[in-house]
Amino acid sequence: MPAQKLDGQQLAKTIRAEIAAAVAERVRNGQPPPGLATVLVGDNAASQVYVRNKHKACQAAGMRSFENVLPSITTQGQLLDLIAKLNADPAVHGMLVQQPLPKQIDAGAVIRAISPLKDVDCFHPENVGLLAAGHPRFLPCTPYGIVQLLVRNGIELAGKHVVVLGRSNIVGKPLALMLMQKPSRDNPGAADATVTVVHSRSRDISSLTRQAEVLIAAVGRPRFVTADMVQPGAAVVDVGTTLVEGKVVGDVDPAVANVAGWLSPVPGGVGPMTITMLLHNTLEAAKMQQTVESRQSAVSSRQ
Ligand SMILES: NC(=O)c1ccc[n+]([C@@H]2O[C@H](COP(=O)([O-])OP(=O)(O)OC[C@H]3O[C@@H](n4cnc5c(N)ncnc54)[C@H](OP(=O)(O)O)[C@@H]3O)[C@@H](O)[C@H]2O)c1
């Protein structure tokens, strides 16, 4: 029997409707709509598409979005000035600087310049530290989207052996952290799983992947995971998006559908979930900043 589809498109629709309802309620209560600022430096075609989709998703959810496009010759100082301005803007609750950045710009310095309270990508070292400590302020969008895709399809993760292919700072590493952590009230992405992380120096990768009850592929190598690498009935999440002859191709060979119990498609799997969790984080950022503001005004009224 072919694998059941882990339909990110459909689930994203459901979660975005929940977010839109929460935004509408905020606005009805006289609070400002959550606002997301994007910063795009240069004219990378793929980045332009990603950013455009983020703005469209914000509008559909009733959020405000602020587009900042800078030329590829922008200096680091100019970019840091813009980030400082957005940090200080009360209408901007979440901010992201689209990667990759031109060579003259130090991406680490840019990430560190974003206010941790507005860092909806969860890339700032303070937020990465909170995540590693099990008390996340934000959950990174792609890993959070993957966990939601599994959990909301009824795939139990507690105690399961999950194999994560890839250890990048954007996907593999934070995902492994979330999966292995103990759930608690302030850690909604924690999954209590047993996690193996595989990377380019790992040996006998097939024997590791065949042990996976849940296999997540984030290597960026088209059709890397073949049917013989998958345990029959396993849930397989394909994170990969590589452009091959004008088509987006995942890390999982389509023949895996004949072995796996569940499989996420590319496109239409993890991609729509990533943008959905960005909207979720922007809403959470707006709530957090409101709490900070009301604490500050309570303190100043007592003085
Ligand atoms: N759909 C979405 O929303 C979304 C979001 C983010 C990323 N992506 C896609 O997901 C893929 C991964 O992204 P990324 O940012 O994590 O990529 P990345 O930074 O290039 O990391 C790739 C990881 O895969 C490992 N790897 C590469 N070749 C391998 C091999 N032959 N055997 C075992 N491990 C290998 C690397 O190991 P080393 O660490 O040893 O080099 C690295 O840890 C890309 O296709 C990207 O476009 C999709």
Short mmCIF file of all heavy atoms in Angstrom, two decimals, residues 78-115:
data_model
loop_
_atom_site.label_atom_id
_atom_site.label_comp_id
_atom_site.label_asym_id
_atom_site.label_seq_id
_atom_site.Cartn_x
_atom_site.Cartn_y
_atom_site.Cartn_z
N GLN A 78 25.23 49.92 6.76
CA GLN A 78 23.88 50.33 6.30
C GLN A 78 22.82 49.31 6.73
O GLN A 78 21.74 49.68 7.18
CB GLN A 78 23.88 50.49 4.77
CG GLN A 78 24.63 51.72 4.30
CD GLN A 78 24.90 51.69 2.80
OE1 GLN A 78 25.05 50.63 2.19
NE2 GLN A 78 24.99 52.87 2.20
N LEU A 79 23.18 48.02 6.62
CA LEU A 79 22.22 46.98 7.01
C LEU A 79 21.97 47.02 8.53
O LEU A 79 20.82 46.95 8.98
CB LEU A 79 22.73 45.60 6.57
CG LEU A 79 21.86 44.41 6.93
CD1 LEU A 79 20.43 44.57 6.43
CD2 LEU A 79 22.44 43.11 6.35
N LEU A 80 23.05 47.21 9.30
CA LEU A 80 22.89 47.27 10.76
C LEU A 80 22.05 48.49 11.18
O LEU A 80 21.26 48.41 12.12
CB LEU A 80 24.25 47.27 11.47
CG LEU A 80 25.06 45.97 11.32
CD1 LEU A 80 26.39 46.08 12.06
CD2 LEU A 80 24.31 44.74 11.78
N ASP A 81 22.20 49.60 10.45
CA ASP A 81 21.38 50.79 10.73
C ASP A 81 19.90 50.49 10.53
O ASP A 81 19.05 50.89 11.33
CB ASP A 81 21.78 51.97 9.82
CG ASP A 81 23.11 52.59 10.25
OD1 ASP A 81 23.57 52.27 11.37
OD2 ASP A 81 23.69 53.37 9.46
N LEU A 82 19.60 49.79 9.42
CA LEU A 82 18.19 49.46 9.14
C LEU A 82 17.65 48.54 10.25
O LEU A 82 16.53 48.72 10.74
CB LEU A 82 18.07 48.78 7.76
CG LEU A 82 16.69 48.23 7.43
CD1 LEU A 82 15.62 49.32 7.43
CD2 LEU A 82 16.67 47.50 6.08
N ILE A 83 18.45 47.55 10.65
CA ILE A 83 17.99 46.62 11.71
C ILE A 83 17.72 47.39 13.00
O ILE A 83 16.71 47.15 13.68
CB ILE A 83 19.03 45.49 11.91
CG1 ILE A 83 19.05 44.59 10.68
CG2 ILE A 83 18.73 44.67 13.17
CD1 ILE A 83 20.15 43.56 10.65
N ALA A 84 18.59 48.35 13.32
CA ALA A 84 18.38 49.15 14.55
C ALA A 84 17.06 49.91 14.45
O ALA A 84 16.31 50.01 15.44
CB ALA A 84 19.56 50.10 14.74
N LYS A 85 16.77 50.43 13.27
CA LYS A 85 15.51 51.17 13.07
C LYS A 85 14.30 50.23 13.26
O LYS A 85 13.33 50.57 13.92
CB LYS A 85 15.51 51.74 11.63
CG LYS A 85 14.76 53.04 11.51
CD LYS A 85 14.90 53.64 10.12
CE LYS A 85 13.75 53.19 9.27
NZ LYS A 85 13.87 53.27 7.86
N LEU A 86 14.40 49.04 12.71
CA LEU A 86 13.29 48.09 12.82
C LEU A 86 13.16 47.58 14.27
O LEU A 86 12.05 47.34 14.75
CB LEU A 86 13.48 46.92 11.85
CG LEU A 86 13.49 47.30 10.36
CD1 LEU A 86 13.88 46.11 9.49
CD2 LEU A 86 12.13 47.84 9.93
N ASN A 87 14.29 47.43 14.95
CA ASN A 87 14.25 47.02 16.37
C ASN A 87 13.44 48.03 17.19
O ASN A 87 12.74 47.67 18.13
CB ASN A 87 15.66 46.95 16.97
CG ASN A 87 16.39 45.67 16.60
OD1 ASN A 87 15.76 44.68 16.22
ND2 ASN A 87 17.72 45.68 16.72
N ALA A 88 13.58 49.33 16.82
CA ALA A 88 12.95 50.39 17.60
C ALA A 88 11.51 50.67 17.16
O ALA A 88 10.80 51.43 17.83
CB ALA A 88 13.79 51.67 17.48
N ASP A 89 11.07 50.07 16.06
CA ASP A 89 9.75 50.38 15.51
C ASP A 89 8.68 49.54 16.23
O ASP A 89 8.66 48.30 16.10
CB ASP A 89 9.76 50.07 14.00
CG ASP A 89 8.46 50.46 13.33
OD1 ASP A 89 7.44 50.63 14.03
OD2 ASP A 89 8.46 50.57 12.09
N PRO A 90 7.75 50.16 16.96
CA PRO A 90 6.75 49.38 17.71
C PRO A 90 5.74 48.63 16.83
O PRO A 90 5.10 47.68 17.29
CB PRO A 90 6.04 50.43 18.58
CG PRO A 90 6.34 51.74 17.94
CD PRO A 90 7.61 51.61 17.18
N ALA A 91 5.64 49.03 15.54
CA ALA A 91 4.70 48.31 14.65
C ALA A 91 5.32 47.00 14.14
O ALA A 91 4.62 46.14 13.60
CB ALA A 91 4.33 49.19 13.47
N VAL A 92 6.65 46.87 14.31
CA VAL A 92 7.36 45.65 13.86
C VAL A 92 7.53 44.73 15.07
O VAL A 92 8.27 45.03 15.99
CB VAL A 92 8.74 46.01 13.26
CG1 VAL A 92 9.56 44.76 12.97
CG2 VAL A 92 8.58 46.85 12.00
N HIS A 93 6.82 43.60 15.04
CA HIS A 93 6.94 42.65 16.16
C HIS A 93 7.94 41.55 15.84
O HIS A 93 8.58 41.00 16.73
CB HIS A 93 5.57 42.05 16.47
CG HIS A 93 4.55 43.09 16.84
ND1 HIS A 93 3.62 43.56 15.95
CD2 HIS A 93 4.37 43.78 17.99
CE1 HIS A 93 2.88 44.48 16.54
NE2 HIS A 93 3.32 44.64 17.78
N GLY A 94 8.02 41.18 14.56
CA GLY A 94 8.96 40.14 14.13
C GLY A 94 9.78 40.66 12.96
O GLY A 94 9.31 41.48 12.18
N MET A 95 11.02 40.15 12.88
CA MET A 95 11.90 40.63 11.81
C MET A 95 12.74 39.46 11.30
O MET A 95 13.16 38.62 12.09
CB MET A 95 12.83 41.69 12.40
CG MET A 95 13.76 42.30 11.39
SD MET A 95 15.19 43.13 12.14
CE MET A 95 14.54 43.96 13.54
N LEU A 96 12.96 39.44 9.99
CA LEU A 96 13.90 38.45 9.47
C LEU A 96 14.72 39.05 8.36
O LEU A 96 14.23 39.90 7.60
CB LEU A 96 13.18 37.19 8.99
CG LEU A 96 12.25 37.29 7.80
CD1 LEU A 96 12.98 37.06 6.49
CD2 LEU A 96 11.14 36.28 7.94
N VAL A 97 15.97 38.66 8.32
CA VAL A 97 16.85 39.08 7.23
C VAL A 97 17.07 37.83 6.37
O VAL A 97 17.57 36.81 6.85
CB VAL A 97 18.20 39.61 7.78
CG1 VAL A 97 19.12 40.01 6.64
CG2 VAL A 97 17.96 40.80 8.71
N GLN A 98 16.61 37.91 5.12
CA GLN A 98 16.65 36.74 4.25
C GLN A 98 18.10 36.35 3.92
O GLN A 98 18.89 37.20 3.52
CB GLN A 98 15.85 37.05 2.97
CG GLN A 98 15.62 35.85 2.07
CD GLN A 98 14.71 34.79 2.68
OE1 GLN A 98 13.71 35.10 3.30
NE2 GLN A 98 15.09 33.53 2.52
N GLN A 99 18.41 35.08 4.09
CA GLN A 99 19.73 34.54 3.75
C GLN A 99 19.63 33.92 2.35
O GLN A 99 18.55 33.48 1.98
CB GLN A 99 20.15 33.47 4.76
CG GLN A 99 20.02 33.89 6.20
CD GLN A 99 21.30 34.49 6.78
OE1 GLN A 99 22.34 34.48 6.14
NE2 GLN A 99 21.20 34.98 8.00
N PRO A 100 20.66 33.82 1.56
CA PRO A 100 22.03 34.24 1.85
C PRO A 100 22.21 35.74 1.65
O PRO A 100 21.48 36.38 0.91
CB PRO A 100 22.84 33.45 0.80
CG PRO A 100 21.91 33.26 -0.35
CD PRO A 100 20.52 33.18 0.23
N LEU A 101 23.26 36.26 2.34
CA LEU A 101 23.60 37.68 2.24
C LEU A 101 24.83 37.83 1.35
O LEU A 101 25.64 36.90 1.22
CB LEU A 101 23.90 38.22 3.63
CG LEU A 101 22.66 38.37 4.54
CD1 LEU A 101 23.07 38.51 6.00
CD2 LEU A 101 21.83 39.56 4.09
N PRO A 102 25.00 39.02 0.72
CA PRO A 102 26.21 39.23 -0.09
C PRO A 102 27.49 39.06 0.74
O PRO A 102 27.46 39.21 1.96
CB PRO A 102 26.05 40.68 -0.56
CG PRO A 102 24.63 41.03 -0.37
CD PRO A 102 24.10 40.18 0.73
N LYS A 103 28.56 38.75 0.04
CA LYS A 103 29.84 38.38 0.68
C LYS A 103 30.39 39.42 1.66
O LYS A 103 31.02 39.07 2.65
CB LYS A 103 30.91 38.13 -0.40
CG LYS A 103 30.81 36.76 -1.03
CD LYS A 103 32.07 36.38 -1.75
CE LYS A 103 32.19 36.78 -3.18
NZ LYS A 103 31.16 36.57 -4.15
N GLN A 104 30.14 40.72 1.37
CA GLN A 104 30.73 41.77 2.22
C GLN A 104 30.04 41.86 3.59
O GLN A 104 30.49 42.61 4.46
CB GLN A 104 30.70 43.14 1.51
CG GLN A 104 29.34 43.83 1.41
CD GLN A 104 28.51 43.36 0.21
OE1 GLN A 104 28.80 42.34 -0.39
NE2 GLN A 104 27.47 44.10 -0.12
N ILE A 105 28.97 41.09 3.78
CA ILE A 105 28.21 41.21 5.03
C ILE A 105 28.41 39.97 5.90
O ILE A 105 28.33 38.83 5.42
CB ILE A 105 26.71 41.44 4.72
CG1 ILE A 105 26.56 42.83 4.08
CG2 ILE A 105 25.85 41.34 5.98
CD1 ILE A 105 25.22 43.17 3.58
N ASP A 106 28.68 40.21 7.18
CA ASP A 106 28.91 39.14 8.15
C ASP A 106 27.54 38.71 8.70
O ASP A 106 26.92 39.42 9.51
CB ASP A 106 29.82 39.69 9.26
CG ASP A 106 29.98 38.73 10.44
OD1 ASP A 106 29.35 37.65 10.43
OD2 ASP A 106 30.74 39.08 11.37
N ALA A 107 27.07 37.53 8.25
CA ALA A 107 25.71 37.07 8.61
C ALA A 107 25.56 36.93 10.13
O ALA A 107 24.50 37.24 10.67
CB ALA A 107 25.40 35.75 7.92
N GLY A 108 26.63 36.50 10.80
CA GLY A 108 26.57 36.33 12.27
C GLY A 108 26.31 37.65 12.97
O GLY A 108 25.48 37.74 13.89
N ALA A 109 27.00 38.71 12.50
CA ALA A 109 26.82 40.03 13.12
C ALA A 109 25.40 40.53 12.89
O ALA A 109 24.81 41.17 13.76
CB ALA A 109 27.85 41.00 12.54
N VAL A 110 24.86 40.23 11.73
CA VAL A 110 23.49 40.66 11.40
C VAL A 110 22.50 39.96 12.32
O VAL A 110 21.60 40.60 12.90
CB VAL A 110 23.19 40.36 9.90
CG1 VAL A 110 21.72 40.52 9.59
CG2 VAL A 110 24.04 41.26 9.02
N ILE A 111 22.66 38.65 12.49
CA ILE A 111 21.74 37.89 13.36
C ILE A 111 21.82 38.42 14.78
O ILE A 111 20.80 38.60 15.46
CB ILE A 111 22.08 36.38 13.29
CG1 ILE A 111 21.66 35.82 11.93
CG2 ILE A 111 21.42 35.62 14.42
CD1 ILE A 111 22.19 34.45 11.62
N ARG A 112 23.04 38.72 15.24
CA ARG A 112 23.21 39.20 16.63
C ARG A 112 22.63 40.60 16.82
O ARG A 112 22.33 41.00 17.95
CB ARG A 112 24.69 39.19 17.03
CG ARG A 112 25.25 37.78 17.22
CD ARG A 112 26.63 37.80 17.86
NE ARG A 112 27.63 38.46 17.03
CZ ARG A 112 28.30 37.88 16.03
NH1 ARG A 112 28.08 36.61 15.74
NH2 ARG A 112 29.19 38.56 15.34
N ALA A 113 22.47 41.36 15.71
CA ALA A 113 21.95 42.73 15.82
C ALA A 113 20.43 42.77 15.96
O ALA A 113 19.86 43.76 16.42
CB ALA A 113 22.37 43.53 14.59
N ILE A 114 19.77 41.68 15.58
CA ILE A 114 18.29 41.65 15.65
C ILE A 114 17.88 41.50 17.11
O ILE A 114 18.44 40.67 17.84
CB ILE A 114 17.73 40.48 14.80
CG1 ILE A 114 18.07 40.69 13.33
CG2 ILE A 114 16.23 40.29 15.02
CD1 ILE A 114 17.72 39.52 12.43
N SER A 115 16.90 42.30 17.54
CA SER A 115 16.43 42.16 18.92
C SER A 115 15.95 40.73 19.15
O SER A 115 15.12 40.23 18.37
CB SER A 115 15.26 43.13 19.16
OG SER A 115 14.53 42.69 20.28
#
